[in-house]
Amino acid sequence: MHKMKQIICGVLICCMVAGLCACGAGDEESVSSAEKSGELAKAETNPVFRAVPPKAEGKYWLDDEIKCFNGEAYIIGNRDHTQYILKYSPAMDEPEKFHSFSENLYPVDIAVSPDGTVYALAAPADEIGNYSILTLSSSGELLQSYEIKGSENSENCLYKSIEYANNKLYILSDINLSALLPDSELSLEYEIPVENKAVMSVMKDGSLAVGQSKNDKFKLEILNDKARKLENKADFDIQFVRLNGGLSYDVYLGDTRDLYGYNFSEDKLEKLYSWEKPGIICGAVCEYESGKLMSTAKLSSDRPSPVMCFEQGTDEGNGSAIMLATFSEFTDPLLMETVQQWNFANPDFPIQVRNYSAQNAGEDARAAEMQLAADIAAGSTPDIYDFSLNMNDTPPSSANYARKGLLENLYPYIDSDPELTRADFLPGLLSGLEINGGLYELTSDINFLTTFAAKSIVGEKENWNYDNFNSIIEQDEFFESIFDPTYTRDDLLETILFASGDKLIDWSKGESYFTSDYFIDVLEVLKSVPTDIPEDAVVAGNMASMIKNSHSLLFHCVADSPWRVSSVASPQVFGEDYCFPGFPEIGSAIVPKKSFGISSSSKNKDKCWEFLREFILEKNSDSHRMPPRTKAIEQLAKNEWQQAVNGGYSQNHPYVQNAMEDFIETLKNSDTIYRYDSNVLDIVKSETGAYFVGDKSAEQVAENIQSRVSIYLAEQG
């Protein structure tokens, strides 16, 4: 989706990396590499580790470094602009301050020696000066500070990690691995060149392991301190970004998607945990007890996180995993947060997120849906579908999936719910979403696609059609177009196509009406719309300035709250002389911004409903900008007006209170749903070009579209 998605969506980015490969062990002359690494990387295994619910909310922003000693972890964190080394054990509710840094130092990494001495690698906070190593007692007191003096080759390098092994300190930079003698000066003994993204860790036998990319392989190497060289022991086909020592495994390896354990003696790489599935942001790990991990993994990217703990455990028991299919390359923080809370409370029915957007590549935006279709055909059907409309994503058509019988009718669940009734929702929302009398998706957050105009110009509702609007433009020299110029022709075509409701496609009947007079009118109006937004269309200043200078009869609005459309738009320009016509002959449309469906073949339908209903309950209404419950939207308008009164700016918006009431009334009376279908869009766009350039008539193009869409609907039904 294009213009619609750009306007309605706000997202947090969390990028995903491909899975990992298997590897093997061997000596320096014979380095093994597993043959089935590709299969292992794609394997969808249940997690061997399970996240333990944190005892308290996080108070510190944690860095991605952690080291364990005697069952406790040392972590770098900050709070209130102060940097700390924190100490934590699973018995604590929250980390305790171990050492605080002065303003001129910034901690980079930590190492712990066998006698409990803590070494902190620190950088100059102002980037002026040299890196240093602080020696701290077991109680966190500063014993000594050393300035790092590398060789001439180390000038201007970036130091990123520190380890204690072989009775020495090792620091890793973007160019060298440096060995430091534990004398009074921590003098440099030798340096070994490394690749700039190398990582290192101490293994359970005390030896130092280094991982780095060479010749398209990720090589796991062991330091031979006597020979002063790194000896290659295993090759990996895909790159790791983390390397941590362990107790159950020689090392833990991972990327932003999965965590693996590897033992040289068994030549075995095991997939232990998927960060992506439960919606946890990956982090470094340390094993404080056999089979128990502490981690800097985060529950959220926009607030402090607790130290996460993980324990061995499978999904065996009375329940089973619930698979949630999503299609956005951007993580919805509310969805991931709800998944995390659910998994902590329902360990027998954990929700695992399968993000199909990773299948999309280049211009092929439908690869995700093709992969989903293949999974369904193979019997690997998701339990929950996320049909939410997000920027630049292509979710499947919920209406299409309902017609195929892939979705569960949700009316019986609402009717038997102790806290929900059909009457709670906007009157037109449920009826607009119905297909053959059933409700197949649950919408938790909506936008409202409409237009606003001067009522004295456009007249009453019965006159809101293309003929009358064209007549107004011909008779009034001020107006130049029906629609404002901030939409291109393609933007408008897509918007009107999916906001037209049953006028173009009746999903219940499986019929289309592209040869109708209505669609011919749409094409004729769009022919005069520019293919690009004119340079003078966006006027500097506020929305009111843009409206006044647009010379258009109708100005678009995708509203995500009553206040935004009623204060920023119509009343400022028209005073009390405003209305919300929507689009000619179809009116306004409700956009299911966040919407979910339950698979008709799920074995855990009741559990799926338990999860989805959380998004709708009154107690969670504040989590959404515009919830679908009538009372929640009415209360939202009251709250927004009260804020204006309390803030002393209500006098600047004298018509807003009435405008919000009118907006809500328009919303309540709307039963047209914005229904997106990428296949229909491709058909329409591929055919209309011939009309816009003059090669075919509107009627010929409409006939071609009607024929192709009819075939498509027949194939899907």
Side-chain angles (χ1 to χ4, degrees), residues 545-558:
S545 299
M546 292 178 63
I547 298 169
K548 292 176 180 178
N549 290 279
S550 69
H551 294 277
S552 61
L553 194 62
L554 308 176
F555 203 93
H556 292 79
C557 174
V558 183

Side-chain angles (χ1 to χ4, degrees), residues 682-691 696 701 704-705 708:
D682 287 346
I683 292 172
V684 172
K685 284 194 171 182
S686 66
E687 294 290 347
T688 52
Y691 166 67
K696 292 182 180 179
V701 165
N704 292 345
I705 294 174
R708 292 180 60 185

Side-chain angles (χ1 to χ4, degrees), residues 270-285:
E270 292 185 278
K271 184 175 181 180
L272 307 176
Y273 191 77
S274 171
W275 305 106
E276 180 184 31
K277 288 181 179 178
I280 293 175
I281 302 171
C282 64
V285 301

Side-chain angles (χ1 to χ4, degrees), residues 287-396:
E287 193 170 8
Y288 66 94
E289 239 180 75
S290 181
K292 296 182 178 181
L293 304 176
M294 282 187 277
S295 176
T296 57
K298 298 172 179 60
L299 297 178
S300 174
S301 61
D302 59 0
R303 68 172 185 268
S305 290
V307 179
M308 293 293 295
C309 292
F310 298 84
E311 295 183 357
Q312 287 185 354
T314 65
D315 292 326
E316 297 174 356
N318 297 326
S320 59
I322 295 172
M323 187 63 66
L324 190 160
T326 186
F327 303 88
S328 173
E329 65 176 299
F330 303 114
T331 303
D332 178 348
L334 177 60
L335 175 60
M336 293 298 99
E337 207 169 287
T338 309
V339 167
Q340 295 156 11
Q341 293 170 355
W342 170 273
N343 288 347
F344 290 146
N346 299 271
D348 287 334
F349 295 90
I351 290 178
Q352 299 179 355
V353 179
R354 181 181 296 171
N355 193 328
Y356 281 88
S357 70
Q359 302 294 326
N360 292 335
E363 297 299 319
D364 187 4
R366 288 181 298 169
E369 191 171 354
M370 293 171 64
Q371 181 61 55
L372 173 60
D375 288 348
I376 293 173
S380 182
T381 305
D383 297 275
I384 300 173
Y385 296 91
D386 180 2
F387 294 118
S388 302
L389 300 179
N390 296 297
M391 189 188 311
N392 299 323
D393 300 322
T394 308

